[in-house]
Each structure stands twice: as C-alpha cells, then as structure tokens.
Amino acid sequence: MDFLAAIGYFAVFAVLIGSVLATMLGLPGNWLLLAAMIGYSYFTDFQILPLSTMLWLTGAILLGELIEFMAALLGAKRNKASRLAMFGTVCGGFAGAMIGTMILPLIGSVIGAAAGVFAVAYFVERHVTGDSAQAKQVAVGAMFGQLIGMLAKLCIAIGVVFAIFYHILPHLTKGVLDGVIMM
C-alpha cells in the first residue's frame, strides 16, 4: 500500500468516526456520513463500496432522519396532543437545538432539542386545551419521543459505519499484507 492510499484510508476512518460523534452530539453527522460515503465510493469507482450497498446505506441514513423527525410527533400524538402542539414539537425541537448549541456547544443541541420540544408542546397544548395535566403529559411524551428518535438515528449511523468498515477492511488489510510481503 502506498503512502497516499494509507492517508486516504486514515481520512475515511476519521470522517466516519467524526460523523458518528457529530450525530451523537445532535449535529448533522449523518449528512457528513452520507457525503463521505458518496465521495469515497465515487473516488474508488464503486469498486470497494458497490452502488447497491451505497443505496441501501443511503436509505438507512434517510430512515434515521425520518425516525428522528417523526419520533417527537408520535410521542405527542400518543398522548392525544392537538395538531397545533404536534406541529409545535417540530419547531420546538429545531429551535431548541439551535439555541442549545449556541449556549452550550457540543451537547447543547441534544439538551436544547429535548427542552425545546417539551416547552413548546407544553405551552401550545396548555393554550389549546387549558389543561395543565394534559399539556404536561403531551410534553413528556414528545420529549421522550425526541430522545428516542435521536438514539435511533445514532444507532443507524453506527450500523452504517460498521457496514462501510466491513467493505473497506478487506482492501486495507490486503494492502498492508502486500506491503509486508514485499519487504
């Protein structure tokens, strides 16, 4: 294996691990993962990571995004939230993640998303129904849904990274062994 190939593999591994860490912190790591996967596949002429595998992994990444988006809605709906409160969970999660990141970089996005979903769901549901107990129940359901969605998205990201490693490692070890044998 030549020096440039070794640096390329190291860069791919660093980006894959970085994307999982970013997803863990509530940052757009899955989009970084998707871009790295597409770029790596393109530069290796889809020889190491076949197009069919890449399409399946892309579907998994998009599924993770959908689960994260829908989980807070479903958590609110499960507790009989009003439509306005369900819409509010989406806005609250997005706004909370942005504000949380500004206040507390790195982990603020996770805390902010959960707090934003809870706060908006509570206040909107209380405004619509006038029932504090119902509003609290909706807000708790939405918040737990948001956290479960974020966890599901993280698990999918980890699975995608393992699938990519599975395809890359045989080529990496083959190149390393070839270099040792030639010495």
Side-chain angles (χ1 to χ4, degrees), residues 71-72 75 114 117-118 138-150:
V117 164
F118 182 90
V138 166
V140 168
M143 181 184 68
F144 280 120
Q146 179 71 30
L147 293 171
I148 289 168
M150 293 172 93

Side-chain angles (χ1 to χ4, degrees), residues 62-180:
L62 295 175
L63 178 64
E65 294 294 327
L66 180 65
I67 289 171
E68 182 190 30
F69 177 76
M70 294 298 295
L73 290 172
L74 294 174
K77 184 177 181 177
R78 183 171 182 246
N79 290 296
K80 299 176 178 73
S82 65
R83 288 181 188 218
L84 190 58
M86 288 173 49
F87 174 73
T89 62
V90 175
C91 298
F94 183 73
M98 294 298 154
I99 293 169
T101 301
M102 287 187 280
I103 294 172
L104 187 61
L106 300 180
I107 63 169
S109 58
V110 174
I111 296 168
V117 164
F118 182 90
V120 172
Y122 178 83
F123 288 115
V124 171
E125 187 68 19
R126 186 161 186 260
H127 174 74
V128 169
T129 65
D131 184 354
S132 295
Q134 169 66 14
K136 181 181 175 188
Q137 187 176 359
V138 166
V140 168
M143 181 184 68
F144 280 120
Q146 179 71 30
L147 293 171
I148 289 168
M150 293 172 93
L151 180 62
K153 178 181 164 180
L154 175 63
C155 290
I156 289 172
I158 291 169
V160 167
V161 167
F162 274 111
I164 294 170
F165 282 162
Y166 174 80
H167 284 278
I168 292 175
L169 284 177
H171 298 281
L172 177 63
T173 55
K174 179 183 179 286
V176 169
L177 292 176
D178 289 346
V180 169

Side-chain angles (χ1 to χ4, degrees), residues 2 34 40-41 44 49 51 64 70-71 86 97 104 124 133 153 162 166 175 183:
D2 65 355
L34 181 62
Y40 179 77
S41 295
T44 59
L49 192 61
L51 183 60
M70 294 298 295
M86 288 173 49
L104 187 61
V124 171
K153 178 181 164 180
F162 274 111
Y166 174 80
M183 291 180 148

Side-chain angles (χ1 to χ4, degrees), residues 6-74:
I7 288 181
Y9 280 117
F10 177 76
V12 168
F13 285 122
V15 169
L16 292 177
I17 298 301
S19 67
V20 169
L21 292 174
T23 300
M24 188 181 306
L25 298 172
L27 300 172
N30 278 6
W31 297 110
L32 174 63
L33 177 58
L34 181 62
M37 181 178 64
I38 291 170
Y40 179 77
S41 295
Y42 177 77
F43 286 114
T44 59
D45 293 324
F46 301 97
Q47 297 299 310
I48 296 174
L49 192 61
L51 183 60
S52 60
T53 301
M54 194 179 79
L55 291 174
W56 277 104
L57 296 179
T58 299
I61 290 169
L62 295 175
L63 178 64
E65 294 294 327
L66 180 65
I67 289 171
E68 182 190 30
F69 177 76
M70 294 298 295
L73 290 172
L74 294 174

